[in-house]
Amino acid sequence: MDIQTLRKTHPDHWMRAAAIRTLTLDAIAAANSGHSGMPMGMADVATVLFEKHLKFDASAPNWPDRDRFILSAGHGSMLIYSLLHLTGYKQATLDEIKNFRQWGARTAGHPEFGHMEGIETTTGPLGQGIANSVGFAIAEEIQRARYGKKVVDHHTYVIAGDGCLMEGISHEAIGLAGRHELGKLIVLWDDNGITIDGTVALSDRTDQIKRFRASGWSVFECDGHDPVAIDAALTAAKKTKKPSMIACKTHIALGSSAQDTSKGHGALTDADLIKDTKAVYGWTAPAFTIPADIKAQWEAIGSRGAAERADWEARLLTIPGNKQREFARAYALEPHKKLSATIKALKKQITDEAPKVATRKSSEMVLEVVNAFTTETVGGSADLTGSNLTKTGDMGVFDPENRDGRYIYYGIREHGMAAAMNGMVLHGGIRPYGGTFMCFTDYARGAMRLSALMRVPTVYVMSHDSIGLGEDGPTHQPVEHLAISRATPNTYVFRPADTVETAEAWEIALTTKETPSVLALSRQGLPTVRLEHKTKNLSSQGAYVLADAEGKRQAIIIATGSEVEIALAARDILQADGIGTRVVSMPCMELFAEQEERYRKRILPGGPVRVAVEAGVQMGWDRWLTGERGKCTKAGFVGMDSFGASAPSDVLYEKFGITPQAVADKVKSLL
């Protein structure tokens, strides 16, 4: 539908949509940066969605049973900022719009979760939003099965662009959604045929409609500027039991001289262009000014859901009291009251029995006791269930026939799994964890980074954490991955030495509210090294003295994970030679860095030589080797400086020189 026809046949709709377009033009001109084209092109779709379909209440942004709206094409952030301002979200003030992309503003260049209410997830890295949405929809299904339709019954809507659908993660996401028949998920594709470089045809010829249908989706098409057609497509999509994609044919930078060009994708800041475009719209109000009647119409849309929210609050009170409390606790990310005592009991059992098991098995042992009562945990694996050991007996498998299931077979989709887990946390009421090999953090990296950026406690179970996985060889042996994970801000990287430390790591991961956790777990069996039961969670301090020096302390060996037993054996060699040696287990560098300086000094005092041993690269260790002020000059590292090889694990440790004797020799060379 052309602009003049739209203005004539749907004048009220047109002016409401024009408010989005003009705010976009004004904000991007003031910032002299941004992306004008997508909000201008998708304003009609967004207006119909918010006015006629989206269940929300602007006065209660965190209402649990609201519909979720995800702007996967996050570069078009002025679309969501305009919508939030127009519908009356308190934090989306006009000053925030005027300060778009400026220091301290909630209106960041791309939508950031936690900056402004109404932003459900951080988007901008293309494809992440649509992949998050699968997790949102899974969480809704699981909670509806648990608490009933009168408490949980909402949709997840996504606006995605051509770039989102080109990114590989989108294929992982749509395949997973189609398999699980996530009928409450509706994706609105901004089908404008333009990317930064030019037309989509420059780089792609995918028939997206056939692609989605082949993946098990219902597909609809509409003119993305015809409000009647948009409304009809959304109405039809809500009736299908499959996830739905609506192909909305739109014009990028609608009404401007940059319409349907790659220029229209970016910042349209020329004063004459803006003036001429507003004239095409029939918009006469000054910059950043929304006429009172149009603003009132939008605010009425924003308050439309208030009565429905009040009804929901009344319905919530009709379910059993224990379910009400469980619902509130899960949404608050509060740990179950049994968690601490259960972890302590398991630790006591392990120190008494002292088993030798791989820490991936240790993780399974923890999950077996924790999943029995922590019903908000949802596990999964990227086609490595039997290797990651992430499935416990009482979980049940989530699929279209069993929405009560709490275990998800993600298939070979590491990136999609990680992004979906982020979506589950962001939806609320779910604590997801998912497994793959540590080496494949490479494939999940984009979503893992966003877990940290958004400050959400997604848990990554990364087994086969070193050359210790053996014969699969260097393609599957991580050497740099611990360093990469540790280099990511706001991430806890746990490398436990035994089952006791694994239990402590899980307790922290299931307690924290704002930090994702990476559990690096061994394939090979490891002895229990914590042979004295402590009720205190020593891993929460990041590092602690596992075995102290006998006699004068001359050396400190710091180790993690499977190398702690090597450090202890090296200590035996050194002590036999009269060299007093302390062994420090450091399961989590990040938590150790958070401790008070006096504690860190007590664990790693100046004076003795320091040697770290870890079957990975040295990067990240220098702070603890040289001392935080660079005072320790006698320090060394025993680990990897190359990729691994294919051989049995014991042979690899010998060939790469990660042995007790090598550690002892390194200490002696520094004395």
Side-chain angles (χ1 to χ4, degrees):
M1 183 177 291
D2 65 82
I3 291 176
Q4 295 308 316
T5 302
L6 187 54
R7 286 180 58 182
K8 182 178 180 180
T9 57
H10 302 283
D12 291 339
H13 162 86
W14 171 257
M15 295 307 287
R16 286 193 291 273
I20 296 171
R21 295 180 169 113
T22 56
L23 280 176
T24 294
L25 288 166
D26 293 340
I28 289 173
N32 198 33
S33 73
H35 299 81
S36 309
M38 193 281 279
M40 295 166 70
M42 284 296 280
D44 295 305
V45 173
T47 298
V48 174
L49 174 64
F50 271 65
E51 179 184 0
K52 297 183 179 296
H53 295 275
L54 194 73
K55 181 174 70 171
F56 75 108
D57 178 2
S59 70
N62 299 316
W63 169 27
D65 200 38
R66 69 192 180 280
D67 286 342
R68 271 56 168 186
F69 171 63
I70 296 170
L71 186 66
S72 187
H75 56 276
S77 55
M78 271 309 304
L79 178 69
I80 192 168
Y81 298 149
S82 298
L83 289 163
L84 297 178
H85 169 67
L86 291 167
T87 54
Y89 283 76
K90 289 182 180 179
Q91 293 182 349
T93 64
L94 188 59
D95 282 343
E96 292 289 354
I97 301 294
K98 290 180 177 179
N99 285 298
F100 175 57
R101 287 185 164 227
Q102 304 309 301
W103 176 261
R106 297 182 188 274
T107 46
H110 294 85
E112 293 191 37
F113 173 75
H115 281 216
M116 182 184 288
E117 291 174 334
I119 296 172
E120 302 286 1
T121 181
T122 295
T123 55
L126 293 177
Q128 290 291 331
I130 189 173
N132 290 163
S133 75
V134 177
F136 276 85
I138 289 173
E140 193 272 345
E141 293 282 0
I142 291 173
Q143 292 198 320
R144 181 150 38 89
R146 183 174 304 157
Y147 296 105
K149 189 173 181 179
K150 65 181 180 181
V151 175
V152 180
D153 186 21
H154 53 262
H155 285 81
T156 299
Y157 295 96
V158 183
I159 287 180
D162 294 303
C164 291
L165 301 191
M166 280 193 216
E167 288 285 0
I169 192 174
S170 74
H171 195 68
E172 298 183 22
I174 69 171
L176 189 63
R179 163 65 185 93
H180 289 295
E181 300 178 13
L182 302 176
K184 295 281 191 173
L185 174 60
I186 299 175
V187 172
L188 298 147
W189 171 33
D190 179 18
D191 180 14
N192 60 44
I194 296 293
T195 65
I196 292 174
D197 279 351
T199 64
V200 169
L202 285 172
S203 58
D204 193 55
R205 65 184 300 171
T206 303
D207 187 326
Q208 297 292 354
I209 289 172
K210 290 182 179 178
R211 178 189 178 209
F212 274 82
R213 282 184 177 144
S215 297
W217 289 56
S218 296
V219 179
F220 306 89
E221 300 177 66
C222 70
D223 178 341
H225 302 297
D226 180 346
V228 174
I230 297 165
D231 181 33
L234 281 164
T235 300
K238 288 160 70 174
K239 293 178 180 178
T240 179
K241 293 182 179 180
K242 298 178 181 180
S244 296
M245 189 273 269
I246 302 174
C248 306
K249 193 63 181 175
T250 62
H251 296 283
I252 198 169
L254 181 75
S256 75
S257 59
Q259 178 178 314
D260 299 328
T261 69
S262 58
K263 177 184 176 182
H265 173 91
L268 302 179
T269 59
D270 180 78
D272 289 337
L273 180 150
I274 293 172
K275 178 182 177 182
D276 292 345
T277 304
K278 288 184 177 181
V280 171
Y281 294 165
W283 191 270
T284 58
F288 293 110
T289 301
I290 306 299
D293 61 328
I294 298 173
K295 186 66 165 74
Q297 292 172 34
W298 270 113
E299 289 180 351
I301 292 170
S303 62
R304 173 174 51 81
E308 194 165 5
R309 175 181 59 82
D311 288 344
W312 176 86
E313 290 171 347
R315 293 197 303 273
L316 180 64
L317 296 177
T318 66
I319 68 173
N322 63 326
K323 280 200 169 185
Q324 291 181 45
R325 291 188 292 273
E326 188 74 3
F327 185 86
R329 181 188 64 77
Y331 266 85
L333 286 173
E334 295 292 341
H336 195 284
K337 61 183 180 180
K338 292 182 180 179
L339 180 63
S340 178
T342 300
I343 295 295
K344 288 183 177 68
L346 178 61
K347 286 165 56 178
K348 179 66 166 62
Q349 176 188 338
I350 296 302
T351 54
D352 289 344
E353 298 175 359
K356 180 176 182 178
V357 295
T359 51
R360 60 174 176 151
K361 178 63 177 178
S362 302
S363 174
E364 181 186 46
M365 293 162 66
V366 178
L367 290 171
E368 283 285 2
V369 295
V370 168
N371 281 339
F373 59 83
T374 308
T375 55
E376 68 269 25
T377 53
V378 173
S381 172
D383 202 52
L384 289 167
T385 297
S387 295
N388 302 141
L389 303 181
T390 41
K391 184 176 184 293
T392 58
D394 61 334
M395 300 186 82
V397 175
F398 176 84
D399 62 25
E401 289 71 45
N402 183 24
R403 296 312 202 193
D404 281 321
R406 292 164 48 212
Y407 192 80
I408 299 170
Y409 289 114
Y410 286 102
I412 304 90
R413 298 184 178 101
E414 294 89 354
H415 201 180
M417 174 182 72
M421 290 196 297
N422 283 341
M424 289 182 219
V425 183
L426 291 162
H427 174 278
I430 300 289
R431 275 193 179 267
Y433 66 86
T436 185
F437 286 178
M438 185 74 187
C439 192
F440 301 137
T441 56
D442 286 342
Y443 286 176
R445 175 60 49 198
M448 293 176 73
R449 181 176 185 270
L450 286 176
S451 302
L453 180 62
M454 292 189 287
R455 307 188 69 82
V456 294
T458 310
V459 182
Y460 298 96
V461 182
M462 301 303 191
S463 69
H464 297 60
D465 69 343
S466 72
I467 60 171
L469 77 85
E471 292 85 347
D472 275 341
T475 59
H476 286 54
Q477 292 167 2
V479 292
E480 74 273 33
H481 301 76
L482 284 166
I484 293 170
S485 297
R486 288 168 177 157
T488 306
N490 188 44
T491 300
Y492 290 151
V493 182
F494 296 98
R495 191 158 185 258
D498 64 4
T499 305
V500 175
E501 285 191 357
T502 304
E504 292 180 337
W506 266 113
E507 182 178 23
I508 297 163
L510 293 174
T511 303
T512 182
K513 295 183 179 182
E514 296 187 343
T515 304
S517 298
V518 177
L519 276 65
L521 306 172
S522 75
R523 175 182 183 265
Q524 70 274 35
L526 303 181
T528 300
V529 296
R530 283 272 293 278
L531 297 174
E532 181 182 353
H533 176 59
K534 300 283 187 182
T535 58
K536 184 176 182 178
N537 188 321
L538 299 184
S539 296
S540 68
Q541 298 171 300
Y544 61 93
V545 177
L546 181 61
D548 214 344
E550 297 173 8
K552 181 182 178 182
R553 183 171 58 232
Q554 299 180 64
I556 300 175
I557 303 174
I558 316 165
T560 73
S562 49
E563 286 69 69
V564 171
E565 67 167 316
I566 292 174
L568 290 169
R571 174 184 176 273
D572 291 341
I573 295 171
L574 292 166
Q575 287 288 168
D577 290 339
I579 301 171
T581 303
R582 167 181 286 187
V583 171
V584 171
S585 180
M586 189 177 281
C588 184
M589 287 185 180
E590 298 76 30
L591 284 171
F592 188 57
E594 291 178 7
Q595 304 307 303
E596 294 182 357
E597 185 179 16
R598 62 182 180 179
Y599 177 77
R600 298 198 305 270
K601 282 184 175 181
R602 189 163 78 245
I603 302 303
L604 298 176
V609 302
R610 297 181 189 177
V611 171
V613 54
E614 186 173 70
V617 298
Q618 183 173 341
M619 185 176 290
W621 274 102
D622 288 349
R623 176 179 181 183
W624 313 118
L625 287 174
T626 62
E628 296 180 66
R629 293 183 175 85
K631 290 183 178 180
C632 182
T633 57
K634 293 184 177 182
F637 180 76
V638 176
M640 299 294 293
D641 58 9
S642 69
F643 292 110
S646 179
S649 60
D650 56 344
V651 174
L652 292 171
Y653 273 86
E654 181 69 32
K655 294 295 185 182
F656 284 106
I658 307 175
T659 64
Q661 190 62 56
V663 175
D665 290 346
K666 176 66 75 172
V667 169
K668 290 177 181 178
S669 72
L670 295 168
L671 287 172

